Amino acid sequence: MSMKDKGAISQFIEKYYLHFNAASVVDAAKAYETQIDKGSKMLVSLAGAMSTAELGKIFAEMIRQDKVHIVSCTGANLEEDIMNLVAHSHYKRVPNYRDLTPQQEWDLLEQGLNRVTDTCIPEEEAFRRLQQHIFKIWKDAEEKGERYFPHEFMYKMLLSGVLEQHYEIDIKDSWMYAAAKANLPMVVPGWEDSTMGNIFASYVMKGELKASTMKSGIEYMTFLADWYIDNSENGIGFFQIGGGIAGDFPICVVPMLYQDMERTDTPFWNYFCQISDSTTSYGSYSGAVPNEKITWGKLDIDTPKFIIESDATIVAPLIFAYLLDM
């Protein structure tokens, strides 16, 4: 596609994003587009608080247009997109968050407002509004002797329609709803540390649910391994937003297959981009330059590699806009 067929945002970044991190944005976006055009699949990992940052407004369209084929996300991102869907009007913005005293932070806690940088998630309207519905789905599965992954339970809740009465944003802006409609493959490593994971654990401790009703992280890894094998014919790329377990967990599937399963025909990830503001020092894996991943058997010598040292809430929407011809 020529630039004249691209939208105003794409043309803007091509014209003015010429050097340093700006140039990396354009290079990474073009290489991502090349991946899709040649039939490669793309994994997108979401760390941080991308759902609370309302990335769903554009990420949902990426899913609908088949420009992302599997997601790895934290339990927080899994649930917070749905929380925003059902409780958006109750969120509180705190633009002066850098100036808050410990007492002011305590006051927010007593109001049931959990702060994520400049945005407070309303505990009662967000967490508790989902809890009654998700508990019923967990319990129903258990009584039937069924087991599912955390994201599959969320998909069931979204597709059942039980939340429709609570919608407070346009449903097209929910990336989780778009993913549920597409039955998008997903892995959610470390789900237990999320709010819904904590709630599930509390039911287990109270004897109301069995831990085995929820499929585990090991099962996520074996699912991902099978998916990787089945979808690697034309290569699979890795687009990482932030650091942490959302990226660390899925990228290891390649050396696991190659070294531990001794499947030496396993292809490396054939594209890698990370948007991160993590400092590359003192053994920081989240801030490690892509070349380090060669030594771990994750990336090949000639894998296109990009690192954009910037704020993902600014950069990711620009790259997605380029891919959507906006």
Side-chain angles (χ1 to χ4, degrees):
M1 175 180 288
S2 67
M3 272 311 295
K4 67 180 180 180
D5 297 319
K6 290 271 188 185
I9 297 173
S10 301
Q11 293 189 44
F12 177 89
I13 66 172
E14 277 233 311
K15 182 174 181 180
Y16 296 108
Y17 281 37
L18 303 175
H19 301 283
F20 318 135
N21 272 305
S24 296
V25 169
V26 178
D27 293 343
K30 287 183 173 180
Y32 190 132
E33 188 170 58
T34 298
Q35 283 283 110
I36 301 301
D37 289 346
K38 70 181 184 183
S40 292
K41 303 289 187 181
M42 186 66 74
L43 178 148
V44 174
S45 75
L46 301 177
M50 291 297 104
S51 290
T52 293
E54 299 186 69
L55 188 67
K57 285 191 169 185
I58 193 165
F59 192 50
E61 189 62 22
M62 287 282 290
I63 293 170
R64 284 190 289 268
Q65 292 198 24
D66 196 32
K67 296 184 185 296
V68 51
H69 306 99
I70 186 169
V71 166
S72 173
C73 74
T74 57
N77 276 304
L78 183 76
E79 66 197 16
E80 287 175 12
D81 178 81
I82 307 175
M83 291 174 185
N84 181 59
L85 173 65
V86 302
H88 181 78
S89 68
H90 299 278
Y91 279 61
K92 177 181 173 64
R93 185 153 184 266
V94 187
N96 63 324
Y97 66 92
R98 291 182 177 87
D99 304 323
L100 296 178
T101 64
Q103 181 61 52
Q104 289 172 313
E105 302 276 22
W106 184 263
D107 292 344
L108 289 173
L109 169 66
E110 291 194 319
Q111 295 172 55
L113 294 170
N114 304 141
R115 185 170 69 81
V116 180
T117 311
D118 68 347
T119 303
C120 293
I121 301 174
E123 182 172 332
E124 193 63 33
E125 291 80 9
F127 304 143
R128 307 310 168 195
R129 191 166 282 182
L130 300 182
Q131 183 174 351
Q132 58 179 317
H133 299 298
I134 198 68
F135 173 73
K136 185 177 186 305
I137 293 170
W138 289 336
K139 194 66 177 175
D140 288 349
E142 184 167 298
E143 289 174 351
K144 295 175 184 175
E146 298 172 349
R147 305 175 65 244
Y148 297 99
F149 284 119
H151 77 277
E152 292 177 315
F153 280 117
M154 294 295 198
Y155 283 0
K156 287 177 180 294
M157 181 170 61
L158 283 166
L159 297 176
S160 72
V162 296
L163 297 179
E164 288 182 10
Q165 60 183 312
H166 301 302
Y167 288 175
E168 294 195 350
I169 64 169
D170 192 325
I171 192 63
K172 71 178 177 59
D173 292 337
S174 165
W175 75 264
M176 272 294 292
Y177 184 76
K181 290 287 286 185
N183 195 25
L184 190 73
M186 192 181 300
V187 294
V188 189
W191 173 76
E192 298 81 5
D193 83 349
S194 66
T195 298
M196 288 298 139
N198 289 174
I199 289 170
F200 183 86
S202 75
Y203 284 123
V204 172
M205 293 177 71
K206 289 183 287 188
E208 296 181 40
L209 288 172
K210 297 174 185 173
S212 58
T213 298
M214 191 67 61
K215 288 190 175 182
S216 70
I218 293 296
E219 288 168 288
Y220 261 136
M221 182 58 82
T222 57
F223 162 78
L224 178 60
D226 288 337
W227 184 90
Y228 194 93
I229 292 166
D230 292 343
N231 289 273
S232 59
E233 182 179 357
N234 294 314
I236 303 173
F238 199 103
F239 187 84
Q240 182 173 350
I241 298 177
I245 196 170
D248 300 349
F249 181 93
I251 203 166
C252 292
V253 76
V254 169
M256 187 269 281
L257 285 167
Y258 191 100
Q259 298 167 16
D260 304 317
M261 290 296 294
E262 299 181 348
R263 296 182 63 114
T264 54
D265 58 341
T266 302
F268 295 103
W269 297 97
N270 72 337
Y271 165 100
F272 178 80
C273 175
Q274 181 178 8
I275 307 169
S276 174
D277 57 5
S278 178
T279 303
T280 307
S281 64
Y282 305 114
S284 167
Y285 183 55
S286 293
V289 295
N291 277 358
E292 185 176 299
K293 293 174 173 59
I294 294 173
T295 73
W296 289 89
K298 298 167 184 174
L299 306 181
D300 207 346
I301 293 172
D302 56 0
T303 299
K305 307 171 190 68
F306 308 92
I307 187 161
I308 305 167
E309 296 176 306
S310 187
D311 184 333
T313 62
I314 298 170
V315 171
L318 286 173
I319 292 178
F320 293 160
Y322 185 92
L323 295 165
L324 294 169
D325 303 327
M326 297 171 72

